[in-house]
Amino acid sequence: MSLGKWIRDFQLFLFDFDGLLVNTEYLHYQAYVNMLAGRGYALQLSFAHFCGLAHFNATAWREAIYAEIPHLESRWEILYQEKKEAYLKLLLLGKVELMPGVEKLLNALNEAGIRRCVVTHSILDHVRLIRASIPALATLPNWITREDYEQPKPNPECYLKAIALYGKPGDRIIGFEDSLRGLQALKGTPASAVIICSTHHPLFKTVVADGMHFESLE
């Protein structure tokens, strides 16, 4: 079935952002590395560790960092603010790119006039920076950013809000995620849930058992 045909089976598309539409997951990891280096620590946990832990639940990555560096600043909110500043510096370098298959899908949805919304944990300022550097993202008219909801994924609040704002009665809805937490959030909604991740992903067996799987949006 061609791209133009299958997308018309759905009236609303929901998308995660980091790691699904844009290749920012490694930048988030590198921001942690840089934040800790600024405090004199060399992080031994790999990017694979980051994906396996941060995608699993909201505290696993933080707990792993403290387990490795027990004398680190105990107030996580201070460390996280430093991480956000490090991430912003990486964004300003302009190295963010679309993930494989994204531009083709976004253009097809735009041409077909199908409703779509991005639902992301990223803050609005970071989203604006990335959107300004990637023209294809301008085809996405609706965005739910971290300021727009209270409970983070895996709570479905953010996706339910998107459906309330942009869905209509009787819609067939499809949502795309790249993490277990995001997939769990989607599955708390009426949307058909699709997980996009490599077979080498640390949580591959878990996420595939819990949703439709493809290696990329390509």
Side-chain angles (χ1 to χ4, degrees), residues 20-75:
L20 179 85
L21 298 184
V22 290
N23 66 339
T24 49
E25 288 287 23
Y26 188 79
L27 295 186
H28 281 287
Y29 167 74
Q30 188 61 50
Y32 280 107
V33 172
N34 294 352
M35 177 271 288
L36 292 169
R39 287 177 165 269
Y41 299 103
L43 184 64
Q44 300 302 312
L45 296 168
S46 68
F47 178 57
H49 282 110
F50 172 75
C51 291
L53 295 170
H55 287 189
F56 181 69
N57 68 42
T59 62
W61 176 243
R62 177 177 66 196
E63 291 163 1
I65 289 177
Y66 277 122
E68 182 180 321
I69 312 172
H71 301 299
L72 189 61
E73 160 65 54
S74 62
R75 291 167 295 177

Side-chain angles (χ1 to χ4, degrees), residues 17 21-24 94-99 102-103 106 127-140 143:
F17 190 51
L21 298 184
V22 290
N23 66 339
T24 49
K95 294 185 177 181
V96 181
E97 297 177 348
L98 291 176
M99 298 293 283
V102 171
E103 185 167 9
L106 295 187
V127 166
R128 283 172 171 163
L129 274 175
I130 297 170
R131 290 178 66 184
S133 66
I134 303 178
L137 295 176
T139 66
L140 289 160
W143 294 74

Side-chain angles (χ1 to χ4, degrees), residues 99-152:
M99 298 293 283
V102 171
E103 185 167 9
K104 183 178 180 181
L105 176 56
L106 295 187
N107 286 339
L109 291 172
N110 188 45
E111 291 171 7
I114 297 172
R115 280 170 279 130
R116 54 235 185 257
C117 180
V118 176
V119 182
T120 178
H121 184 75
S122 289
I123 63 173
L124 182 58
D125 285 348
H126 291 170
V127 166
R128 283 172 171 163
L129 274 175
I130 297 170
R131 290 178 66 184
S133 66
I134 303 178
L137 295 176
T139 66
L140 289 160
N142 305 307
W143 294 74
I144 302 288
T145 62
R146 187 62 187 89
E147 297 89 344
D148 297 321
Y149 55 94
E150 295 293 330
Q151 298 296 323

Side-chain angles (χ1 to χ4, degrees), residues 66-212:
Y66 277 122
E68 182 180 321
I69 312 172
H71 301 299
L72 189 61
E73 160 65 54
S74 62
R75 291 167 295 177
W76 180 253
E77 63 273 15
I78 292 177
L79 297 177
Y80 192 68
Q81 180 59 37
E82 292 176 8
K83 177 264 177 181
K84 289 197 294 184
E85 292 167 2
Y87 178 67
L88 179 58
K89 290 179 181 178
L90 293 172
L91 285 184
L92 291 172
L93 294 176
K95 294 185 177 181
V96 181
E97 297 177 348
L98 291 176
M99 298 293 283
V102 171
E103 185 167 9
K104 183 178 180 181
L105 176 56
L106 295 187
N107 286 339
L109 291 172
N110 188 45
E111 291 171 7
I114 297 172
R115 280 170 279 130
R116 54 235 185 257
C117 180
V118 176
V119 182
T120 178
H121 184 75
S122 289
I123 63 173
L124 182 58
D125 285 348
H126 291 170
V127 166
R128 283 172 171 163
L129 274 175
I130 297 170
R131 290 178 66 184
S133 66
I134 303 178
L137 295 176
T139 66
L140 289 160
N142 305 307
W143 294 74
I144 302 288
T145 62
R146 187 62 187 89
E147 297 89 344
D148 297 321
Y149 55 94
E150 295 293 330
Q151 298 296 323
K153 303 170 186 177
N155 189 293
E157 178 195 351
C158 52
Y159 280 118
L160 290 173
K161 180 168 186 176
I163 292 170
L165 288 172
Y166 307 113
K168 296 180 180 179
D171 275 350
R172 290 194 68 202
I173 305 168
I174 189 168
F176 297 84
E177 271 283 353
D178 71 315
S179 73
L180 179 60
R181 292 167 62 192
L183 184 64
Q184 290 169 336
L186 267 179
K187 291 180 77 68
T189 78
S192 296
V194 181
I195 185 74
I196 304 293
C197 73
S198 165
T199 55
H200 301 297
H201 192 286
L203 295 174
F204 174 73
K205 291 182 180 179
T206 303
V207 296
V208 170
D210 206 28
M212 191 185 310

